Amino acid sequence: GENALYMAARGLDVHGVDFAPRAIEAARRKATTRELPTTFEVRDALDLGPIRDARRGRAFDSILDSGVFHVFSDEERVRYARNLAAMARPGTSLVIVCMSEHEPDWGGPRRVTEAELRATFGAPWAIESIEATRYATLLDTRGAAAWLTIATYVGRTVSQGN
């Protein structure tokens, strides 16, 4: 919940989700202690659609994925991208930080290639940038090799000829 709390401390309206009840409980405690208005909910990232309706009856302006995308199988990635699109409106920003294939295989999450990001987040998303970065971990003070991806929801399918 630290990313969500960071944004809430800057005045943004934040809705955080995680599949781990203990993580959500910890985030809620921190939000209460810091007196930050946030909503945290235990949810499956592959089934996010109802958040859109329950939250505000409209889409989110921005979506942050920090360490989620790299846990999914190929089939789940397609479903995940569709779920994110269901919460977006034209202009919604999507930021993803995920483990890259440049990280040695010490176990842990599946590594993601730039090509996989581009294939998953094609239309109705438009990738603005994919940059190499480091992902903070408890296993290595240097962090792990990762991709920082920024995409915008364009809200329509773009044909190859356009």
Side-chain angles (χ1 to χ4, degrees):
E2 286 299 328
N3 290 322
L5 294 170
Y6 176 86
M7 289 182 238
R10 277 135 192 86
L12 298 173
D13 184 16
V14 176
H15 191 107
V17 298
D18 198 298
F19 72 95
R22 287 177 53 192
I24 292 298
E25 290 168 17
R28 287 175 178 157
R29 279 193 305 275
K30 290 177 185 180
T32 299
T33 299
R34 298 177 196 178
E35 298 180 347
L36 294 171
T38 55
T39 301
F40 288 104
E41 196 176 347
V42 176
R43 296 302 296 258
D44 180 342
L46 296 175
D47 184 22
L48 295 172
I51 289 174
R52 179 179 185 201
D53 297 330
R55 178 74 174 130
R56 299 181 234 176
R58 64 179 177 84
F60 290 90
D61 296 325
S62 58
I63 300 169
L64 171 64
D65 168 341
S66 180
V68 178
F69 182 72
H70 59 230
V71 304
F72 297 128
S73 68
D74 292 342
E75 297 78 22
E76 290 170 327
R77 288 175 178 176
V78 172
R79 185 172 160 201
Y80 179 62
R82 268 191 306 232
N83 273 289
L84 295 182
M87 297 187 321
R89 62 169 177 74
T92 294
S93 296
L94 171 63
V95 178
I96 299 172
V97 181
C98 64
M99 199 76 74
S100 96
E101 79 275 19
H102 301 296
E103 177 64 21
D105 189 3
W106 43 259
R110 179 177 166 187
R111 306 315 191 256
V112 176
T113 67
E114 182 177 351
E116 288 174 305
L117 284 160
R118 289 190 185 283
T120 304
F121 293 99
W125 296 95
I127 292 182
E128 306 296 332
S129 64
I130 299 178
E131 298 177 13
T133 190
R134 304 295 294 178
Y135 190 81
T137 72
L138 298 175
L139 302 174
D140 187 337
T141 57
R142 296 172 301 135
W147 293 117
L148 170 61
T149 303
I150 299 174
T152 302
Y153 182 74
V154 294
R156 62 183 174 85
T157 301
V158 179
S159 70
Q160 292 284 48
N162 291 344

